Amino acid sequence: MLKRAHYTIALPLMAALLAPVALAASNSDCETALNKRDLVGAKGICTQALASQKAAASGNTPAQLETLARAHDNLGSLSMLNQQYREAETHYRASLAVRTRAYGKNHHNLSHSLVPLAESLVRLNQPGDAEKLLIQTLQLRQQALGKRSEAVARIHGTLATFYIRTNQIAKAQRQLADQISILEQLYPTGATATAKAYNSLAVVRKKEGQLPQAEAYFRRSIDIYERKNAANTLEISAPLLNLATQLTETNKLNEVESLLLRVKRIRQQFEGEESVGVADIHNRLGVLFNLLGMKEEAEKQLRTGLAIREKRLGTNHMLVAESCNNLGMLLMQANRLNEALAVLRHATVVIHSQTGPQSAQTIAAWEQLEKLYGRMIQQNNSAG
């Protein structure tokens, strides 16, 4: 079977940023480096910014302490980008301590520290502690801003995303229902936040096997984006791609090509002609065209996707293995066994190196190779 991609959900922003302070090395300078993904340069700039904010916070005013907390947030973000999750936790806890000094322990502004701290704990495989922090954030916002505020709706969405990631589907569904209820009351004609929530709810329905409801919610999400003049944004690509995936899996193929081509155009516009995201669409189109019996076009798409992935990711990457596996299966179907052998061998080597010799992926890859070797032996015997 050709592999298909996972569903996509949008993750929440980790922290809200306040106005910069004009210092030699400012939070704004740090954030500029982070936005540019200049992680090497950002380390020095953000560390200097933190030192500057510590010196400037001697008066312990709420504004000074908030700026200091923001400096810790920025270093936490840098650590997250570098996958240094324990260091990120340290900075976010420092940020929380500073904001507690500034506002007290029951102020909703603590959420700017609590949400990213929870994310760092998820990455450290401490989901129970992360959940407590997110529930604390929800309670603080409800007490300060009311249960039907937009800020409360956002944290319902954050909790839903957390529950989806930790496979707590019933809890995720309740949070999404609360989020959508609030947003539809606040924005009766729809909002992009509502569209994101419907996409996430569709993912939950899909996980529960409720396919008609999932398809309906994916379409509702797309419709809201289009009505809010967001028809050509990266955000709409999530429900478009999820709908295309579900339709492919349920063999409802008529719309799939147009959906995938639409996502491809969006990704080309925002990410570039040869981005990893565009390569993913080439791979998906290859899978689709193979299902439709369009073998020549399927091979073209799969080879294009493979070439981009190798260029962007290197040859020893699991996405490269995925492309090689899909191309190898197509070549086997066409009885081009020697060509199939080359790409399936490479897929097996990559999977073995990335997941280990005993992983389910490695075992499956070797089983596929054994089938290919069996067909090659049979073919040679028949020719002899």
Side-chain angles (χ1 to χ4, degrees), residues 93-105:
R93 289 195 184 280
S95 166
L96 178 60
V98 172
R99 285 196 170 101
T100 303
R101 283 165 55 198
Y103 306 112
K105 64 180 182 179

Side-chain angles (χ1 to χ4, degrees), residues 106-173:
N106 295 315
H107 198 282
H108 66 91
N109 278 351
L110 300 186
S111 63
H112 299 315
S113 302
L114 291 169
V115 172
L117 175 58
E119 177 65 19
S120 70
L121 293 176
V122 170
R123 302 299 181 94
L124 290 167
N125 197 29
Q126 297 175 235
D129 293 335
E131 181 181 13
K132 291 176 183 177
L133 295 178
L134 293 175
I135 291 174
Q136 180 185 353
T137 301
L138 177 62
Q139 292 169 344
L140 290 174
R141 290 187 176 181
Q142 286 176 329
Q143 292 166 6
L145 305 172
K147 292 186 177 182
R148 309 296 291 179
S149 68
E150 186 171 359
V152 168
R154 283 197 297 270
I155 197 61
H156 279 303
T158 302
L159 267 164
T161 298
F162 166 78
Y163 288 133
I164 292 171
R165 292 167 68 186
T166 55
N167 203 33
Q168 301 180 68
I169 301 304
K171 288 184 177 181
Q173 186 164 310

